[in-house]
């Protein structure tokens, strides 16, 4: 356990090193203070006096910046509404944000700053498996401080199982559930030779393990596999990867990657005649992927007709769901933008997206949990507040429950395909792919 | 008057000795650095493989492939290590760092092998690969590939620095030796010039009186002897003692 003296020493050391870290790392941070965004009205006063500070490290730069941006927009829209209504138990929600560019080392540095220097109440809205898996040991190291990670944008296993499962709470379904759903559906229509295209890191490996585990009960193994380096751009070629997988004669390919690389693979698969269904996980960032594959093309369907993307939230077009209606209403009203300090490259957000809807649901559930603290911003009581959430209606048609052995809120996986330039629910696998 | 021929061999000798020193030192250095650095890299690779193997046991038993990959990714950031892969006891590739895929040569190799083996992987380069068993091999094997091109570059750089230093010493040494030889040759030149003047001038009274006569060394003695001979002529017995023909 950290003594008060040690903690002060850490904080002082971090304070001394902080300017150097910023200068070298190039990460930007600030309390959100946009006039138009009531979620961002952190006055810089002492934590816990009138605000609850949530620490965020996510990808706001690099090829995956769309993921961090969309997730933030959804969360910020909900917190804006909360703050406009007077906050939670009289306290405003403030996001302390850093950019990690979807790279593990900056993410670890950011987390240290958030925990020791900024003394945030909890960690929220992290993006990516390679980043989160490197942060989890930090949470274990500081477990006596009761710093929890809430609702990271990753379906990987490390934050769902020992030894780190006790330090995180998840809302979305896991990659294991997503890949199992994809595999089972493919196998059910006779597509048994399943190959994997994946990012050469913890995220890709997590999805690879999910596919492998899902194939095993069917007596099947991964037919072929190819990898790419994290940070690959759409302009790069994936021809070699296509050739490797083509040599294994797959019936379908499951991609575990980010939108730029997966879009490049889908494009090259069509260009080099690998005409099989190509599935992507929710993390891919469906709207960004679709934009890359269709922008400026007359024949916009050629690259997208065999795509199937799994999602962990329902369609944002499904207006029958109360949460979707609320999400669209708040996003229209507040239209949150990433603080200019964090913007290094241009990014045009989508009016609505799966990522933003997930961010919105994350924020909505977190606000409910904080509300259950009944005015006490006490980390030690946070876990009990989470466990008190049972059969909670988030407005997506599936009720949410947490408990000591249940640290993931939602279990449903949705499948979508591209029709008329947008992702729509896939209801009949046989008709679409058989 | 300059002395050109007398120290020619001396200069050549000095240059040859220094050159020999440079060549032999470089050769010894090449051998030592190559042997030691190669051995050091191999030992480091083995240690890293063992560390990964030891760290992997719990992760593997928990079937946490993401953490296993994360572990491997951290080690591959170490300079010189180009790839790491972990195989299960049945030969399945559980984690690796290859892009765009696992090379054929590795797929064909013995996944249980832990002895150092040199590999030439097309498009990737030359490597020395070492292995370490996980849980005595029953849970799999960790394989670490060290880039031989990086090792060669390090060796070249280390030897280059050594040769550069010795070459500078060679140049400085040769220049210093030339200067010292010239310093030694200068009085001889003066003596030679004085002797030539003595030989040309027969007027006993006008014989030159030069600084060289004041020298308190062998050259001074010789100059004074020449002057004496020029003024008094050689002694008859001395002439008789001169060997003939």
């Amino acid at each position: 356990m950290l003594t008060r003296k040690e903690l002060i020493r850490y904080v002082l050391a971090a304070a001394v090193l902080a300017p150097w870290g910023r200068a070298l790392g190039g990460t930007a941070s600030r309390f959100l203070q946009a006039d138009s965004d009531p979620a961002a009205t952190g006055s810089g006063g002492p934590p816990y006096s009138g605000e609850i500070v949530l620490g965020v490290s996510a990808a706001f730069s690099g090829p995956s910046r769309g993921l961090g941006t969309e997730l933030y927009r959804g969360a910020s829209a909900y917190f804006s509404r909360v703050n406009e209504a007077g906050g939670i138990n009289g306290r405003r929600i403030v996001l302390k944000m850093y950019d990690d560019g979807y790279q593990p080392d900056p993410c670890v540095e950011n987390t240290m700053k958030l925990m020791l220097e900024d003394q945030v109440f909890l960690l929220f809205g992290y993006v990516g498996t390679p980043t989160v898996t490197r942060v989890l040991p930090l949470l274990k190291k500081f477990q006596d401080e009761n710093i929890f990670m809430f609702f990271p944008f990753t379906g990987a296993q490390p934050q769902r199982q020992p030894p780190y499962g006790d330090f995180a709470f998840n809302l979305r379904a896991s990659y294991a559930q997503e890949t199992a759903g994809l595999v089972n559906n493919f196998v059910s229509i006779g597509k048994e030779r399943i190959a994997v295209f994946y990012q050469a890191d913890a995220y890709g490996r997590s999805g690879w393990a999910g596919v492998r585990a899902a194939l095993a009960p069917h007596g099947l193994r991964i037919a072929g596999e190819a990898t790419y380096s994290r940070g690959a751009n759409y302009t790069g070629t994936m021809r070699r990867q296509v050739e490797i997988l083509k040599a294994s004669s797959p019936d379908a390919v499951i991609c575990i990657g980010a939108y730029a690389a997966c879009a490049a693979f889908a494009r090259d698969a069509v260009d080099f005649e690998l005409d099989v269904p190509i599935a992507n996980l929710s993390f891919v960032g469906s709207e960004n992927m679709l934009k890359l594959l269709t922008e400026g093309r007359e024949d916009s369907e050629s690259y997208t007709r065999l795509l199937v993307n799994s999602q962990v939230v329902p369609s944002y077009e499904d207006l029958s769901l109360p949460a979707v209606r609320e999400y669209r209403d708040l996003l229209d009203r507040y239209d949150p933008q990433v603080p200019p300090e964090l913007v290094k490259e241009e990014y045009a957000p989508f009016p609505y997206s799966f990522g933003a809807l997930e961010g919105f649901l994350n924020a909505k559930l977190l606000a409910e949990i904080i509300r259950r603290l009944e005015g006490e911003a006490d980390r030690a009581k946070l876990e009990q507040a989470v466990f008190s959430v049972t059969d909670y209606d988030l407005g997506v048609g599936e009720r949410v429950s947490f408990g000591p052995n249940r640290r993931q809120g939602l279990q449903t996986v949705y499948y979508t395909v591209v029709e008329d330039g947008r992702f729509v629910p896939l209801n009949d696998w046989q008709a679409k792919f058989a | 008057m300059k002395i050109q021929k007398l120290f020619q061999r001396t200069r050549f000798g000095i240059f040859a000795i220094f050159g020999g020193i440079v060549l032999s030192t470089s050769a010894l250095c090449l051998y030592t650095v190559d042997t030691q650095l190669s051995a050091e890299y191999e030992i480091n690779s083995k240690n890293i493989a063992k560390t990964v193997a030891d760290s992997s046991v719990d992760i593997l038993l928990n079937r946490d492939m993401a953490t296993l990959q994360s572990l491997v990714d951290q080690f591959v950031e170490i300079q010189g290590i180009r790839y790491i892969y972990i195989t299960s006891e049945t030969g399945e590739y559980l984690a690796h760092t290859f892009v765009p895929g696992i090379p054929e040569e590795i797929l064909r190799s013995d996944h249980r092998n832990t002895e150092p083996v040199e590999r030439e992987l097309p498009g990737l380069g030359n490597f020395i690969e070492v292995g370490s068993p996980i849980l005595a091999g029953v849970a799999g094997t960790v394989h670490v590939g060290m880039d031989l091109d990086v090792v060669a570059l390090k060796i070249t750089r280390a030897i280059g620095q050594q040769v550069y230093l010795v070459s500078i010493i060679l140049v400085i040494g040769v220049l210093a030796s030339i200067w010292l030889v010239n310093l030694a040759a200068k009085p001889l030149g003066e003596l030679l010039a004085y002797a030539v003047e003595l030989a040309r001038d027969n007027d006993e009274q006008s014989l030159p009186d030069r600084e060289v006569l004041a020298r308190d060394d062998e050259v001074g003695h010789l100059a004074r002897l020449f002057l004496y001979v020029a003024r008094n002529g050689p002694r008859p017995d001395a002439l008789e003692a001169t060997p003939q023909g």
Side-chain angles (χ1 to χ4, degrees):
Chain A
M1 180 178 175
L2 269 183
T3 63
R4 185 182 295 271
K5 209 174 195 178
E6 283 171 324
L7 194 61
I8 290 168
R9 201 181 301 148
Y10 277 128
V11 172
L12 286 174
V16 169
L17 292 172
W20 300 103
R22 284 199 192 99
L24 295 171
T27 51
S29 70
R30 63 179 292 230
F31 284 99
L32 299 180
Q33 293 182 337
D35 291 339
S36 59
D37 186 357
T41 49
S43 59
Y48 312 135
S49 61
E51 60 194 30
I52 291 175
V53 184
L54 314 181
V56 180
S57 177
F60 297 109
S61 63
S64 300
R65 62 189 181 281
L67 302 174
T69 303
E70 294 296 333
L71 194 73
Y72 162 77
R73 277 169 51 79
S76 184
Y78 189 79
F79 288 139
S80 294
R81 215 263 319 256
V82 167
N83 286 346
E84 199 172 64
I88 301 173
N89 302 321
R91 291 182 172 163
R92 291 180 182 279
I93 301 295
V94 175
L95 299 179
K96 176 76 175 174
M97 297 163 64
Y98 291 100
D99 172 35
D100 58 37
Y102 188 38
Q103 295 298 332
D105 287 342
C107 185
V108 170
E109 288 170 25
N110 293 346
T111 306
M112 290 293 285
K113 281 185 216 165
L114 288 167
M115 293 197 303
L116 301 176
E117 197 178 326
D118 303 321
Q119 297 183 60
V120 297
F121 185 56
L122 52 84
L123 303 176
F124 175 77
Y126 274 52
V127 172
T129 308
T131 45
V132 167
T133 50
R134 290 282 291 276
V135 166
L136 291 172
L138 276 181
L139 302 184
K140 190 171 174 69
K141 162 75 179 165
F142 293 103
Q143 59 185 310
D144 294 332
E145 304 297 318
N146 293 306
I147 298 178
F148 293 98
M149 176 180 282
F150 277 83
F151 314 142
F153 188 61
T154 161
Q157 289 305 115
Q159 75 273 11
R160 288 175 162 80
Q161 64 188 30
Y164 303 120
D166 288 347
F167 308 109
F169 294 100
N170 306 281
L171 181 58
R172 59 173 13 242
S174 68
Y175 292 147
Q177 289 169 305
E178 286 190 66
T179 50
L182 288 168
V183 166
N184 292 340
N185 278 303
F186 277 133
V187 171
S188 72
I189 58 170
K191 298 196 177 301
E192 298 189 336
R193 290 191 60 77
I194 294 174
V196 187
F197 167 76
Y198 60 102
Q199 190 165 285
D201 65 5
Y203 164 45
R205 185 58 58 190
S206 188
W208 172 92
V211 174
R212 174 173 168 261
L215 285 169
H218 299 285
L220 301 170
R221 300 183 72 171
I222 291 172
E225 58 181 80
T227 59
Y228 75 91
S229 298
R230 185 175 62 238
N233 285 302
Y234 181 65
T235 49
T237 178
M238 293 292 170
R239 181 178 182 168
R240 188 76 194 99
Q241 283 83 347
V242 171
E243 286 170 349
I244 289 171
L245 294 188
K246 206 173 166 184
S248 66
S249 307
D251 296 327
V253 177
I254 295 178
C255 301
I256 301 114
Y259 58 83
C262 288
F265 178 79
R267 175 201 64 205
D268 289 354
V270 173
D271 287 349
F272 298 107
E273 297 170 347
L274 179 61
D275 292 320
V276 296
I278 294 176
N280 296 277
L281 303 193
S282 58
F283 182 84
V284 78
S286 294
E287 295 80 11
N288 280 298
M289 185 182 187
L290 187 59
K291 187 180 176 187
L292 288 172
L293 288 172
T294 56
E295 206 168 49
R297 287 186 63 82
E298 284 184 17
D299 178 16
S300 62
E301 285 190 6
S302 60
Y303 288 151
T304 60
R305 67 187 172 84
L306 289 174
L307 286 184
V308 51
N309 286 19
S310 59
Q311 313 289 352
V312 291
V313 293
S315 170
Y316 48 82
E317 303 284 357
D318 188 353
L319 297 178
S320 67
L321 298 170
V324 171
R325 291 197 300 273
E326 187 183 13
Y327 154 74
R328 291 174 69 116
D329 174 49
L330 295 184
L331 213 66
D332 289 343
R333 195 192 310 174
Y334 296 108
D335 188 24
Q337 303 296 324
V338 173
E341 289 83 354
L342 292 175
V343 178
K344 293 171 189 161
E345 298 149 274
E346 196 180 332
Y347 176 78
F350 295 94
Y352 310 111
S353 68
F354 289 103
L357 177 55
E358 185 173 340
F360 170 85
L361 295 174
N362 290 344
K364 187 174 181 182
L365 183 57
L366 183 64
E368 174 61 24
I369 290 164
I370 294 172
R371 203 168 283 124
R372 292 175 186 226
L373 288 170
E374 295 174 348
E376 283 184 89
D378 184 355
R379 285 189 198 136
K381 294 180 178 173
L382 202 47
E383 198 171 42
Q384 280 310 311
V386 179
F387 294 158
S388 72
V389 175
T390 51
D391 219 19
Y392 177 72
D393 186 6
L394 201 51
V396 292
E398 179 186 358
R399 289 182 177 270
V400 177
S401 294
F402 283 93
N405 297 314
R406 189 184 172 96
R407 304 178 85 93
Q408 177 184 304
L410 297 172
Q411 314 297 329
T412 307
V413 179
Y414 308 82
Y415 303 98
T416 56
V417 289
V418 180
E419 276 179 19
D420 301 327
R422 63 199 178 104
F423 277 96
V424 297
L426 170 62
N427 300 315
D428 189 346
W429 283 72
Q430 186 75 29
K432 177 71 182 175
F433 295 119
Chain B
M1 189 169 284
K2 280 194 171 180
I3 302 295
Q4 299 288 348
K5 293 182 180 174
L6 188 63
F7 293 109
Q8 222 168 33
R9 287 185 181 176
T10 311
R11 287 194 190 110
F12 178 78
I14 291 169
F15 189 79
I17 289 167
F18 270 107
I21 291 169
V22 168
L23 288 175
S24 56
T25 310
S26 299
L28 183 67
C29 172
L30 179 77
Y31 173 76
T32 311
V33 172
D34 187 17
T35 310
Q36 289 188 351
L37 264 182
S38 298
E40 192 179 316
Y41 270 96
E42 195 176 307
I43 290 166
N44 284 346
S45 305
K46 279 182 180 172
N47 289 338
I48 288 166
K50 190 175 182 318
T51 306
V52 176
D54 292 345
S55 312
S56 303
V57 177
D58 285 341
I59 299 170
L60 272 173
L61 294 179
N62 285 325
R63 299 174 187 276
D64 183 0
M65 298 304 161
T67 304
L68 188 67
Q69 183 69 45
S70 189
L71 175 78
V72 164
D73 290 343
Q74 286 177 63
F75 278 99
V76 91
E77 287 167 9
I78 296 171
Q79 195 192 28
I81 293 182
R82 274 294 299 279
Y83 66 80
I84 299 177
Y85 64 96
I86 298 177
T87 51
S88 71
E89 68 280 16
T90 58
E92 194 178 7
Y93 291 81
L94 301 177
H96 69 79
T97 57
F98 295 109
V99 173
I102 303 168
E104 276 298 320
E105 186 180 328
I106 288 179
L107 288 172
R108 287 196 303 269
S109 65
D110 176 12
H111 65 87
R112 289 191 190 88
N113 178 51
T114 56
E115 291 303 310
V117 55
E118 286 200 17
R119 291 193 191 285
E120 188 181 337
L121 302 178
L124 290 175
N126 298 306
F127 304 91
I128 185 159
E129 184 183 303
V130 295
S132 184
I134 304 169
L135 214 60
V138 296
T141 311
V142 174
H143 306 262
V144 174
M146 183 67 76
D147 194 338
L148 281 177
D149 296 337
V150 170
V151 178
L153 185 69
K154 289 236 171 201
I155 290 168
T156 309
R157 199 173 289 165
I159 291 168
Q161 285 171 346
Q162 195 96 352
V163 170
Y164 179 67
L165 179 68
V166 176
S167 298
I168 288 173
I169 292 170
L170 170 72
V171 170
I172 292 170
V174 168
L175 290 175
S177 69
I178 290 170
W179 180 73
L180 287 170
V181 166
N182 286 343
L183 202 67
K186 194 182 170 190
L188 278 179
E190 288 173 10
L191 178 64
L192 181 61
Y194 184 65
V196 169
E197 278 186 59
L198 281 177
R200 281 181 184 158
D201 199 344
N202 293 324
D203 186 356
E204 190 180 308
Q205 298 306 315
S206 64
L207 280 174
D209 192 11
R210 294 281 187 267
E211 280 181 17
V212 71
L213 292 169
R215 293 183 70 97
D216 185 24
D217 53 16
E218 289 79 357
V219 171
H221 292 317
L222 274 173
R224 287 191 290 277
L225 187 60
F226 287 160
L227 181 61
Y228 175 82
V229 170
R231 281 180 178 163
N232 305 316
R235 286 186 352 216
D237 56 336
L239 288 172
E240 283 168 8
T242 304
Q244 300 295 311

